[in-house]
Amino acid sequence: MVRPVHAPNHPGQTSDSLDSFSPDSRQAWVRLVIALLIGSIGGVGMWAIVVMIPAVQAEFAATRGAVSLAFTLMMFGFGLGGVIAGKITDRFGIVPAMAISIAFLGVANVLAGLSGQLWQFVAAYFLIGLGTSATFAPLMAEASHWFERYRGLAVTIVASGNYVAGTMWPPLVNWGLQTIGWRMTHIGIGLVCVGLMTILVLVLRAQMGGNKVRDHANAPPPRVDLKLSTNTLTVLLSIASISCCVAMAMPQVHIVAYCGDLGYGVARGAEMLSLMMACGIVSRIGSGFLADKIGGVRTLLIGSLAQGFALVFYLFFDSLASLYLISAMFGLFQGGIVPSYAIIVREAMPAGEAATRVGIVIFASVFGMSFGGWVSGVIFDATGSYAAAFANGVAWNALNIAIVLTLLIRSRTNSVKARPGFAT
């Protein structure tokens, strides 16, 4: 008999009254597709500002670093919201978390479009980050409960929604920017997000039935023993994610502005960003297959080494053709890094706190992205070029590699067949 995955909503309700659910089933894959679509639409908040930096900078007569604060605050909101939404998901389920996300995305994009001063625009992007948050870490954690055999693949597919957004939204945002201006484009984004995401979340709720609370009591136990407490491992993963994402932020946040400074135009930079994200989708899905074979720690190490390799090329080549090629290579190399942290959490920590722990580590990663995006703008303002900013990214990437190597050594030494109760 198939074991129900969700717990009853009320103490008096029996599991027999709920629809049963089997991990890795057809229903699990349907849920996964819906989650991917939700992430692809809701992820617009992370990419719209990247395209709009030059236009907003010109309108408010601000420095590049000042406008980059919008990205910084958005990422801070994204990370903080991920922890909050993770707790909501662990307690009440993914649907309430997504409902709050939709409300924030709609209101915040409208406020961004109506902002009359730069500080108002930056504040609106903090709210956009809060709204975007539920479409990433909580969705990844939730999807990890729908699969056992293909857990790594499922997590990376959901995480790819962020890169699908990065592939499809920059050209659309650039078109809106050129056609109706950045203000009306923001308002349009808010309306589209509310409409489409509401429909998809309702479909997901129907697929999940009336169940709101995930029952983790019989979930598979951790598979890897790193001989570290849950809190210690969370701290190490958080530091690693900060360092890798400071490095990751330089090309992702500033490639559009970089191309404008080189004389290639904003449209070319938007195309490179879209290409980077498209290649990142391939990388994320491929890393999911790899993680199911060799584990999350090894997959993370491979991604981190490859990302550092790609960053070095930005230091030496800046022709139009080479930037297209390096951007594609960067996307292929770094796409699987962030989802690997979620996979490691599920491999080494209890299932009952997965969404919260993933949210904390992703918060650290987006802090790294926000700091990296901001400090790259500051370095540009101080030096007049992006060369030092790329070098800064390479140094942070080296720190990430050192931490992941340490975890790999511990996993090879201490890996055991998981038992209930460890890593608590």
Side-chain angles (χ1 to χ4, degrees), residues 255 257-265 268 272 310-327 384-387 390:
I255 190 65
Y258 184 41
C259 286
D261 294 340
L262 291 174
Y264 300 136
R268 291 289 178 265
M272 289 179 196
L311 277 172
V312 170
F313 278 89
Y314 279 112
L315 287 169
F316 299 102
F317 303 96
D318 62 3
S319 69
L320 183 62
S322 65
L323 286 176
Y324 272 108
L325 181 61
I326 297 169
S327 295
S385 78
Y386 279 118
F390 281 117

Side-chain angles (χ1 to χ4, degrees), residues 2 25 98 107 154 199 206 261 264 282 297 308 321 344 408:
V2 178
S25 64
M98 290 306 311
V107 172
I199 294 172
D261 294 340
Y264 300 136
V282 177
V297 176
I344 294 170
L408 177 60

Side-chain angles (χ1 to χ4, degrees), residues 20-391:
S20 62
F21 172 78
S22 176
D24 299 292
S25 64
R26 178 180 178 277
Q27 187 182 7
W29 288 102
V30 171
R31 293 183 186 183
L32 189 66
V33 171
I34 298 171
L36 174 61
L37 292 174
I38 292 172
S40 301
I41 297 169
V44 61
M46 295 188 67
W47 308 110
I49 183 58
V50 177
V51 177
M52 294 184 182
I53 282 176
V56 175
Q57 180 182 1
E59 171 135 353
F60 290 114
T63 65
R64 184 70 52 82
V67 179
S68 295
L69 280 174
F71 181 86
T72 301
L73 267 291
M74 182 275 296
M75 293 301 288
F76 180 74
F78 179 77
L80 178 63
V83 178
I84 297 171
K87 287 185 175 293
I88 293 172
T89 301
D90 282 335
R91 178 66 180 87
F92 300 104
I94 191 64
V95 173
M98 290 306 311
I100 297 171
S101 173
I102 292 170
F104 269 90
L105 276 173
V107 172
N109 272 287
V110 172
L111 290 176
L114 297 177
S115 57
Q117 299 181 47
L118 182 59
W119 73 265
Q120 296 172 344
F121 180 82
V122 170
Y125 258 89
F126 171 73
L127 299 179
I128 289 174
L130 289 175
T132 305
S133 63
T135 68
F136 196 62
L139 268 183
M140 283 195 292
E142 182 68 19
S144 74
H145 302 314
W146 301 338
F147 294 84
E148 291 182 9
R149 181 179 179 185
Y150 299 108
R151 180 183 296 160
L153 178 60
V155 167
T156 54
I157 287 176
V158 171
S160 295
N162 177 266
Y163 276 9
V164 173
T167 300
M168 71 178 189
W169 280 111
L172 292 174
V173 171
N174 184 62
W175 176 83
L177 184 66
Q178 303 301 325
T179 305
I180 59 177
W182 65 268
R183 294 182 181 276
M184 289 305 299
T185 299
H186 273 103
I187 294 172
I189 288 171
L191 296 175
V192 168
C193 286
V194 169
L196 294 182
M197 291 177 68
T198 297
I199 294 172
L200 289 169
V201 170
L202 289 175
V203 174
L204 179 62
R205 185 181 185 280
Q207 281 290 322
M208 298 177 71
N211 309 307
K212 304 295 190 301
V213 182
R214 166 80 177 141
D215 180 9
H216 303 287
N218 296 316
R223 291 186 260 182
V224 177
D225 186 0
L226 296 173
K227 299 297 183 184
L228 295 170
S229 70
T230 301
N231 289 336
T232 300
L233 180 56
T234 300
V235 170
L236 285 174
L237 290 177
S238 296
I239 296 172
S241 63
I242 288 171
S243 55
C244 78
C245 288
V246 171
M248 191 182 298
M250 176 55 234
Q252 289 189 3
V253 178
H254 289 276
I255 190 65
V256 176
Y258 184 41
C259 286
D261 294 340
L262 291 174
Y264 300 136
V266 171
R268 291 289 178 265
E271 290 171 359
M272 289 179 196
L273 178 61
S274 182
L275 176 63
M276 189 186 299
M277 297 302 101
C279 292
I281 296 170
V282 177
S283 174
R284 286 202 163 169
I285 295 176
S287 69
F289 280 107
L290 189 62
D292 284 331
K293 299 292 184 182
I294 66 174
V297 176
R298 290 178 177 84
T299 302
L300 176 58
L301 179 60
I302 291 172
S304 184
L305 287 168
Q307 174 176 270
F309 180 76
L311 277 172
V312 170
F313 278 89
Y314 279 112
L315 287 169
F316 299 102
F317 303 96
D318 62 3
S319 69
L320 183 62
S322 65
L323 286 176
Y324 272 108
L325 181 61
I326 297 169
S327 295
M329 182 172 65
F330 186 82
L332 283 173
F333 287 170
Q334 57 80 42
I337 291 178
V338 173
S340 294
Y341 293 112
I343 295 170
I344 294 170
V345 167
R346 284 296 282 117
E347 287 178 343
M349 297 186 191
E353 52 188 277
T356 302
R357 294 290 176 173
V358 171
I360 292 171
V361 176
I362 297 302
F363 187 11
S365 74
V366 298
F367 173 80
M369 284 290 292
S370 62
F371 175 73
W374 172 75
V375 78
S376 296
V378 171
I379 291 173
F380 173 85
D381 289 336
T383 64
S385 78
Y386 279 118
F390 281 117

